[in-house]
Amino acid sequence: MKHQHYFDNAIDQLQCENRYRVFADLERIVGSFPSAIYRTSDASKPVTIWCSNDYLGMGQHQRVIDAMLNSAAGIGTGAGGTRNISGTSHPIVALEEELADLHNKEAALVFTSGFVSNQATLSTLPKLLPDCLIISDELNHASMIEGIRQSGCAKKIFRHNDLEHLEKILAAEDPDRAKIIAFESVYSMDGDVAPIKGIVDLAEKYNAITYIDEVHAVGMYGDSGAGITEREGLAHRIDIIEGTLAKAFGVLGGYIASSRKVVDCVRSYAPGFIFTTALPPAIASAAIASVQHLKSSNLEREQHQLRVSQTKAALVEAKLPVMPSDTHIIPLWVGDADLCKKASDRLMDVHDIYIQPINYPTVPRGMERLRITPSPMHSHVHILALISALEETWTYLGLPFETYEQLSRQSVARGLELAVYKSGG
């Protein structure tokens, strides 16, 4: 191929920087999660997964599986095309009604992924508002950043979760200028939570639209699993809620929930929606079953929070560098790309534990970490095995047994830039 050396150099650079990503070939086993089969070219073995975003294990829930199988058997596997050309399957219509009800909004719109729902919505709605200004949290997810960029509208970035900085930006603008504040509820790499009430208060004070990404919170928080906005009683004050069906709900797809007119504008104007083949009806049916189950069952959420608190406590007791987290996401700081990859490899090769390394550009250089996500299915035995494996790995690699705060202070003293960072990916 012409210019092949450019592609070779690009991959070589990633490998030299220890940023080359290797995908683990995993086969999950229904009824045995978090166990899976890890396959290589010449062998396979059972492993325990500690980094899945199927937070509640709904991807193997029998009600969800049955809904998918029954729908595929009765309707077929494919959607047949885009919704405006091939028609809309009834399960998608029912799913959108279910999601609108979940968030107590007038309407919802389903996309093929959470990335697309953010990208399509944030690239489309601002164009419909004259001289729109988008005000974005500095650590918003790449999908939000890409949508904002594609909108072509003016944007300003406020420091992560900094209400004072956000108000300074808002106060400097004409009160009548169209403004959208875009932020997340749970930030996925550090597990911190946005000051949602403070942001909403400022939006109402300065006449701005609120757009919140709840992908790491839907299904997980609130009495019916509608997210942090439900838990804090603020959903009715948020203009647009974006979520995913691919994490706690265990299926696939993204969505927005808002007023009927806002949803209709995205449906009618967003290329990312109009020109994309719809979700298969079997996927939509499975998502309906998952959403309905988690609306009425708190068992999974309660068991999940118990396992999270037990895992955090065990990591702290073992003097492993757990980064501060307000949610179910537990970052374990390593601070070096090569060591992070080696830790992940050793956990898999020696201890049969899968935790993917998180390196740049998902997090800044110097902030590499292992991202641990317990599930309701992780037992006390799983937790003990995890701690034992991490202790051995830390000892083998010469990683320090100190708190994250102690290591941060030492790193700053050595001149490393470890100032406040909270990632989105």
Side-chain angles (χ1 to χ4, degrees):
M1 181 185 293
K2 293 179 180 178
H3 311 303
Q4 179 66 41
H5 65 283
Y6 290 110
F7 305 126
D8 294 339
N9 290 341
I11 296 301
D12 288 345
Q13 181 176 347
L14 289 177
Q15 292 173 333
C16 288
E17 296 176 0
N18 295 301
R19 294 196 293 121
Y20 183 73
R21 297 171 188 254
V22 177
F23 297 154
D25 182 351
L26 296 171
E27 181 181 337
R28 296 201 299 175
I29 307 166
V30 171
S32 298
F33 187 76
S35 296
I37 301 299
Y38 171 57
R39 301 188 183 279
T40 61
S41 58
D42 55 1
S44 64
K45 66 175 182 176
V47 298
T48 302
I49 300 174
W50 273 98
C51 58
S52 175
N53 281 349
D54 185 1
Y55 294 129
L56 302 178
M58 292 302 293
Q60 64 159 4
H61 194 284
Q62 197 59 51
R63 180 177 174 182
V64 178
I65 294 171
D66 289 344
M68 179 177 285
L69 292 175
N70 292 336
S71 182
I75 302 176
T77 57
T82 63
R83 290 174 68 175
N84 59 309
I85 290 179
S86 301
T88 293
S89 70
H90 178 68
I92 285 190
V93 175
L95 174 58
E96 289 173 342
E97 292 173 351
E98 198 70 49
L99 292 168
D101 178 73
L102 174 68
H103 294 289
N104 197 26
K105 298 296 184 185
E106 292 179 349
L109 189 67
V110 169
F111 300 79
T112 52
S113 73
F115 191 104
V116 174
S117 56
N118 269 333
Q119 181 186 43
T121 304
L122 287 171
S123 65
T124 299
L125 286 181
K127 293 178 182 177
L128 304 179
L129 298 168
D131 191 31
C132 180
L133 172 67
I134 305 173
I135 307 171
S136 174
D137 187 288
E138 67 175 331
L139 296 181
N140 278 339
H141 190 264
S143 57
M144 301 174 75
I145 294 169
E146 185 62 17
I148 292 167
R149 185 190 67 79
Q150 290 180 5
S151 76
C153 294
K155 71 174 185 295
K156 292 188 178 180
I157 309 299
F158 67 96
R159 289 187 294 271
H160 179 55
N161 284 347
D162 189 331
L163 292 176
E164 184 177 347
H165 189 212
L166 175 59
E167 181 163 25
K168 183 177 179 180
I169 293 172
L170 288 165
E173 297 298 325
D174 185 332
D176 294 326
R177 185 181 189 183
K179 297 175 286 291
I180 298 175
I181 303 173
F183 62 107
E184 302 181 38
S185 60
V186 175
Y187 288 83
S188 64
M189 287 299 116
D190 283 1
D192 59 333
V193 176
I196 301 174
K197 183 180 184 301
I199 292 174
V200 171
D201 288 344
L202 290 175
E204 292 174 353
K205 179 179 178 180
Y206 292 100
N207 193 30
I209 294 169
T210 46
Y211 180 101
I212 189 169
D213 175 320
E214 284 253 54
V215 297
H216 289 275
V218 290
M220 306 291 293
Y221 301 96
D223 290 339
S224 61
I228 300 291
T229 50
E230 180 188 35
R231 186 188 73 178
E232 299 185 4
L234 295 168
H236 65 289
R237 297 176 63 192
I238 299 287
D239 296 302
I240 305 165
I241 296 175
E242 186 266 348
T244 185
L245 304 166
K247 292 183 171 60
F249 292 126
V251 193
L252 179 71
Y255 65 89
I256 59 168
S258 186
S259 70
R260 200 171 304 280
K261 288 295 184 184
V262 165
V263 168
D264 202 16
C265 280
V266 178
R267 182 190 69 87
S268 301
Y269 283 92
F273 174 82
I274 296 170
F275 299 105
T276 299
T277 297
L279 283 181
I283 295 291
S285 297
I288 291 171
S290 185
V291 173
Q292 288 178 340
H293 177 81
L294 290 176
K295 274 183 179 179
S296 59
S297 174
N298 274 310
L299 178 63
E300 291 81 5
R301 285 186 285 274
E302 291 170 356
Q303 186 70 13
H304 180 260
Q305 288 300 313
L306 175 62
R307 290 293 179 254
V308 169
S309 63
Q310 290 172 338
T311 305
K312 285 181 178 178
L315 289 166
V316 169
E317 185 177 355
K319 294 183 170 56
L320 290 158
V322 182
M323 298 172 67
S325 167
D326 302 319
T327 60
H328 57 282
I329 295 164
I330 308 176
L332 192 62
W333 187 65
V334 178
D336 179 272
D338 181 51
L339 289 173
C340 195
K341 178 67 166 59
K342 287 178 178 176
S344 175
D345 289 346
R346 186 164 185 83
L347 287 168
M348 181 71 98
D349 297 339
V350 176
H351 302 285
D352 302 334
I353 287 176
Y354 174 58
I355 307 177
Q356 184 72 0
I358 307 296
N359 292 336
Y360 177 85
T362 306
V363 296
R365 291 183 175 90
M367 294 298 291
E368 294 83 2
R369 83 277 310 262
L370 300 177
R371 178 181 177 272
I372 298 170
T373 54
S375 76
M377 291 78 175
H378 284 93
S379 67
H380 184 61
V381 172
H382 286 129
I383 296 173
L384 291 177
L386 171 68
I387 299 303
S388 176
L390 287 169
E391 288 176 330
E392 191 281 334
T393 298
W394 248 241
T395 300
Y396 179 84
L397 295 176
L399 292 168
F401 286 83
E402 295 185 72
T403 67
Y404 169 70
E405 290 75 13
Q406 289 171 325
L407 292 172
S408 296
R409 286 195 294 270
Q410 293 169 12
S411 296
V412 170
R414 290 196 304 267
L416 294 179
E417 293 184 8
L418 292 177
V420 181
Y421 170 78
K422 311 238 184 275
S423 171

